[in-house]
Amino acid sequence: MDKNKNQSKKLNNRARGSHNLGRLIMQLQQLERHPRTFGEAGALTPSEIHTIDAIGLEHGILMSELADRLGVTKGAITQIVTRKKMKELVKRTPHPTDSRAVLVSLTEKGKDAYRAHETLHQHFYQQLRSQLDPKEIEIFERCIEKLNTFLEK
Amino acid sequence: MDKNKNQSKKLNNRARGSHNLGRLIMQLQQLERHPRTFGEAGALTPSEIHTIDAIGLEHGILMSELADRLGVTKGAITQIVTRKKMKELVKRTPHPTDSRAVLVSLTEKGKDAYRAHETLHQHFYQQLRSQLDPKEIEIFERCIEKLNTFLEK
DNA sequence: GTATTTATGTTTAGTTTCTAAACTATTTGT
DNA sequence: ACAAATAGTTTAGAAACTAAACATAAATAC
C-alpha cells in the first residue's frame, strides 16, 4: 500500500524529469526560430546561421561533410548554400583533386557573421550558467558531454 | 603571457560548454524529425504528437491555451487540429460560457496515442539517465529545472 | 445603455526547412 | 575495362509554421 504510493511517487518524479528536459528543449528551440542579424550580414534565418556555424573558420569543407555536421541531406545543403543571400557569406571552390567535389568556406563577411553569432551564443550561455553554482555547472556540463557521447552512437 | 594562455584556455572551455549544449539540442531535435506511430493512431508527424502531448488527458483546453503551451500562433493550432488525420484523435467542443471559444480534448484514440508516446518518451529518458550516476542525475535535473525557470521569464 | 476596445478563433497566402528521387559526372573496386 | 559507389545538383512536394485580415463575441470605458 505505502510501497505502491512510494513507487507511484517515484514514477511521477521521473515523468517530471523527462517533461522538464522536453520543456527546456522546446524553449531553446523557440528562442532561435526567427531571423536575426549577425554582423554585417543582414537578417539570417536559423538555417543560414547554422550553416555558417557548421562551416566554421576552417579552410574549406566538403558539401557532404557539411551535410553530415548539420544532419541533413546533401540536397538541402546545396539549396541553402547557393541561395542568393548566402553568396556573400559562403565561398564555393572546386576540390583540388576530386572534380566531383566542392569545398565550402566562409567569406570575410561570413566570418564576421560567424563571430557575431559566436559572441551572442556565448553571451546567452553565460546567462544560463549564471543560474547555476560552480559545482552544478561542472556536473551539468559533464552530463551534457556524456549524453552527447551516448547519442552519437 | 602565461596568464593569457590560461585565460584563453578558460575561454575555450566555456566555448566548448556552449557548443556541447547546442550539439545536444541538435541531436535531440533530429531524433524526432520523422513521423512515428503511437498506439493505433497511424503515423503522426512531430507537430501532431506534440499537439496531442500538450492537450494531455485534461477535460479540455482552449485553443489559445494550446497555442501558448506549444509556443505557436492560434492560426497554427487551428490548422493542425482541424486536419483530417487529427479528427480521430482530437475532439473540439464549444466553450460552455464563451461562444467565441473552442475547447479541445483527446478522443479515446488520442489518449491511446498520448499514452504510447509517454511510454516511449519515458523509455528514452531512462536510457539517457542510465548514462549518468545517481548524484549526476540529481544535479542535472535540478539544473534543468533552474534553467527552465529562467527561460520562462 | 452605448461605443470602443480587446479577445477568440478561422482563413489565406507566403516563407522556411527540409525530404526523396532522379540525374550527371567522377571515382573506386574488381 | 566495366560495374558499383560516390559527390553534388535539381525538382517537386510535405511539414511547420507566420502575419494579416476577418467575423464574432466579450469586456471595458464613458
Side-chain angles (χ1 to χ4, degrees), chain A residues 35-121:
Chain A
R36 296 179 86 154
T37 296
F38 302 100
E40 304 289 323
L44 296 177
T45 61
S47 171
E48 285 160 352
I49 190 59
H50 285 158
T51 300
I52 283 166
D53 201 47
I55 293 171
L57 301 176
E58 303 171 34
H59 294 94
I61 70 170
L62 293 171
M63 295 281 275
S64 48
E65 171 65 26
L66 186 53
D68 275 351
R69 288 187 186 183
L70 288 168
V72 299
T73 61
K74 294 182 290 185
I77 294 297
T78 302
Q79 285 178 56
I80 296 167
V81 158
T82 52
R83 79 177 54 146
K84 185 167 181 181
K85 195 196 330 183
M86 291 288 275
K87 293 264 172 91
E88 303 190 322
L89 306 178
V90 173
K91 188 181 359 175
R92 287 153 54 82
T93 313
H95 191 279
T97 57
D98 182 346
S99 59
R100 299 170 299 179
V102 175
L103 295 174
V104 287
S105 57
L106 296 181
T107 62
E108 274 313 307
K109 207 172 195 180
K111 287 175 185 175
D112 284 345
Y114 175 92
R115 291 189 198 101
H117 173 248
E118 200 66 22
T119 301
L120 197 67
H121 208 60

Side-chain angles (χ1 to χ4, degrees), chain A residues 97-146:
Chain A
T97 57
D98 182 346
S99 59
R100 299 170 299 179
V102 175
L103 295 174
V104 287
S105 57
L106 296 181
T107 62
E108 274 313 307
K109 207 172 195 180
K111 287 175 185 175
D112 284 345
Y114 175 92
R115 291 189 198 101
H117 173 248
E118 200 66 22
T119 301
L120 197 67
H121 208 60
Q122 289 301 324
H123 186 247
F124 174 68
Y125 188 67
Q126 202 48 35
Q127 279 186 293
L128 293 186
R129 280 169 63 115
S130 68
Q131 309 304 310
L132 310 175
D133 62 56
K135 187 66 180 179
E136 286 175 332
I137 291 172
E138 182 197 326
I139 294 185
F140 181 73
E141 293 187 338
R142 194 191 317 147
C143 291
I144 297 287
E145 288 187 12
K146 286 185 173 181

Side-chain angles (χ1 to χ4, degrees), chain B residues 33 63-64 74 78-79 92 100 102:
Chain B
R33 213 182 246 160
M63 295 281 275
S64 48
K74 293 182 290 185
T78 302
Q79 285 178 53
R92 287 153 54 82
R100 298 169 302 180
V102 174

